[in-house]
Each structure stands twice: as structure tokens, then as C-alpha cells.
């Protein structure tokens, strides 16, 4: 069965420091994509970063980077130089390429950035 | 293009009533997805369309739920005989053609928050 797990229900980080949000997944399919989304209290899902299963290098998007360890089936999100506006729920998700692209989401991690 | 839009943003209804939600995807996107998100949980997949064809329905989508995408443009999600357990945020997302990120990156609408009294 395909599954994705976020083991940190809540995290705190000091403003301007880096933080890592954990994500592990389980699939036997070799072709998949990994995603991170941010959901502020307003409710919209904001795309942050994508990593394809065949990508050799870790993805980066500005202050976001994805630490992709394929053998361990982990896809941790690293946010550098945290800002107060980073406080939100963060969801890890993956989709199998030949299964229509539907996203399977983790339970989420609530990040709080302290001033 | 203004992104994915959903209407209404909020809906309060009484148990047993029918409700219908609308989603307008990004115009060039051929795939459209519906998800449901309950409080404190990640979104759960309900169904998706490629153009006008509904290609997959989750077991979460009971007989009371029906979705359509006439002409491959906007989509509607109808819930008949609503129950209190249907209270949730209903999210719509769309994605385009292409390989890798282009095919799989989904853009989400603001959601419709349903409250069943």
C-alpha cells in the first residue's frame, strides 16, 4: 500500500534559523513525484517544491530545499532563514506517475516561527 | 489567468439537504482533482477528471456524491442528503499535460468549507 508519513505534529523554530520537516513515504513504484505544500490559516494550499524520483540532484526553490534520500524513502523539507510568515501547516505528498497524478498527503506538520 | 477558483467559499446547510460546489480550473489544464480535508488532517483524494472523463473515484466517494466535468471545463461536486460527517473543506486542483513536474504539479483553489448542521 502507498503511504506517506510525517512524524512531527508540531515544530517550533526561532526566526532566522533553519528547520527540517520530516517526511517518509512507501511505494514500490519506481516512477513518482514528491511535493511539499504550505497551508496557512487561510486554508489555501501553496505549492513549495517538487522532486521527481529520477532526479539526481536535490530540488531547491529559494529558501526551500528538499533533502531526497531515495534508498531511505525520505523527502525532508529544509527551510532556511525562517520568517514569521512561514508559520503554517506543511504537507508532504507524493503521486505515482502512471496513476493519474492524484496526490497522497501526509498528516501535516504545524510549524511555528518564534520572533 | 487568475488560477483555480471555487464557489462558494463557505456553505452552511442542514442535514439532509443537497449541496453543489463548482470548480473552475486553470484554462489550459486538462486534469481536475477533488479532495476533501477534515480538521487537522491532510487532504484526501476523492476523484479526478482528464478532460470530461472521470477516470478514478475513491472509495471515500459514496453514492451520495457525484462529480461532473461537462465539456472538460469547470467541474461540479454534488452531495445529496448531507450528513454531519460531510463537514469538511472541499479542495479542487488542476494540472496540465507534460512530463514530470508539469504533469504532476497541481494548483489548488481556495476551497469550499462545508458545515452541515
Amino acid at each position: 500500500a502507498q503511504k506517506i508519513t510525517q512524524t512531527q505534529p508540531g515544530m517550533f523554530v526561532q526566526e532566522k534559523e533553519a528547520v527540517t520537516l520530516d517526511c517518509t513515504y512507501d511505494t514500490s513504484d519506481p516512477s513518482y513525484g514528491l511535493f511539499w505544500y504550505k497551508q496557512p490559516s487561510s486554508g489555501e494550499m501553496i505549492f513549495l517544491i517538487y522532486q521527481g524520483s529520477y532526479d539526481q540532484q536535490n530540488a531547491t526553490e529559494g529558501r526551500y530545499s528538499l533533502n531526497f534520500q531515495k534508498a531511505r524513502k525520505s523527502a525532508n523539507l529544509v527551510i532556511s532563514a525562517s520568517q514569521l510568515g512561514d508559520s503554517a501547516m506543511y504537507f508532504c505528498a507524493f503521486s505515482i506517475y502512471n496513476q493519474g497524478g492524484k496526490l497522497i498527503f501526509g498528516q501535516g506538520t504545524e510549524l511555528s516561527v518564534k520572533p | 489567468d487568475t488560477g483555480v477558483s471555487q464557489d462558494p467559499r463557505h456553505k452552511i446547510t442542514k442535514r439532509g439537504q443537497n449541496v453543489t460546489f463548482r470548480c473552475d480550473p486553470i484554462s489550459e489544464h486538462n486534469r481536475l482533482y477533488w479532495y476533501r480535508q477534515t480538521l487537522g488532517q491532510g487532504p484526501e483524494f476523492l476523484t479526478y477528471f482528464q478532460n470530461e472523463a472521470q477516470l478514478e473515484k475513491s472509495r471515500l466517494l459514496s453514492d451520495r456524491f457525484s462529480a461532473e466535468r461537462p465539456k472538460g471545463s469547470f467541474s461540479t461536486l454534488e452531495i445529496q442528503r448531507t450528513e454531519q460527517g460531510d463537514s469538511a473543506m472541499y479542495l479542487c486542483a488542476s494540472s496540465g499535460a507534460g512530463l514530470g513536474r508539469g504533469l504532476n504539479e497541481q494548483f489548488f483553489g481556495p476551497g469550499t468549507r462545508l458545515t452541515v448542521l
Side-chain angles (χ1 to χ4, degrees):
Chain A
Q2 294 152 359
K3 187 178 176 183
I4 192 158
T5 303
Q6 295 178 253
T7 58
Q8 306 152 314
M11 291 278 287
F12 289 92
V13 65
Q14 204 69 33
E15 191 178 10
K16 300 180 185 178
E17 292 186 351
V19 63
T20 297
L21 306 185
D22 294 342
C23 173
T24 58
Y25 59 93
D26 188 17
T27 180
S28 57
D29 200 293
S31 302
Y32 53 88
L34 294 154
F35 301 79
W36 278 91
Y37 284 85
K38 173 184 177 181
Q39 188 175 44
S41 56
S42 52
E44 74 270 30
M45 296 289 284
I46 302 169
F47 166 79
L48 295 178
I49 197 166
Y50 162 86
Q51 178 89 40
S53 60
Y54 296 113
D55 293 343
Q56 296 297 313
Q57 293 189 329
N58 288 342
T60 60
E61 295 276 357
R63 294 187 299 111
Y64 305 106
S65 61
L66 199 153
N67 184 1
F68 181 44
Q69 298 186 46
K70 193 171 183 177
R72 297 180 60 185
K73 295 186 177 178
S74 74
N76 298 340
L77 177 71
V78 180
I79 305 175
S80 62
S82 297
Q83 302 171 355
L84 295 178
D86 294 335
S87 295
M89 284 292 290
Y90 288 81
F91 290 98
C92 182
F94 80 102
S95 70
I96 307 299
Y97 288 165
N98 66 1
Q99 291 186 8
K102 66 181 180 186
L103 290 169
I104 300 171
F105 285 86
Q107 307 92 315
T109 295
E110 184 171 11
L111 178 66
S112 298
V113 181
K114 294 183 173 180
Chain B
D1 194 351
T2 57
V4 180
S5 61
Q6 292 186 246
D7 183 69
R9 295 290 305 275
H10 303 273
K11 179 71 177 179
I12 300 174
T13 190
K14 293 182 179 180
R15 187 177 55 183
Q17 298 294 305
N18 298 345
V19 294
T20 300
F21 311 140
R22 177 180 170 123
C23 171
D24 286 90
I26 293 171
S27 57
E28 62 267 28
H29 284 180
N30 59 358
R31 285 188 174 179
L32 186 149
Y33 303 82
W34 285 99
Y35 295 87
R36 180 173 69 187
Q37 186 179 24
T38 53
L39 202 60
Q41 301 295 317
E44 295 174 296
F45 169 76
L46 292 178
T47 188
Y48 92 97
F49 294 82
Q50 180 152 323
N51 300 313
E52 66 275 10
Q54 187 174 20
L55 297 186
E56 185 175 351
K57 293 193 290 185
S58 163
R59 58 180 171 79
L60 294 175
L61 215 63
S62 75
D63 292 345
R64 296 183 299 106
F65 288 72
S66 63
E68 294 182 340
R69 193 183 182 196
K71 302 179 183 178
S73 55
F74 70 91
S75 176
T76 58
L77 178 68
E78 181 183 15
I79 309 174
Q80 296 182 327
R81 304 181 302 281
T82 53
E83 302 173 355
Q84 289 184 326
D86 297 331
S87 295
M89 174 79 89
Y90 290 84
L91 295 163
C92 175
S94 69
S95 68
L99 298 175
R101 174 177 169 173
L103 176 61
N104 291 276
E105 181 181 346
Q106 294 179 24
F107 295 83
F108 281 80
T112 294
R113 185 171 297 280
L114 173 67
T115 302
V116 181
L117 301 176

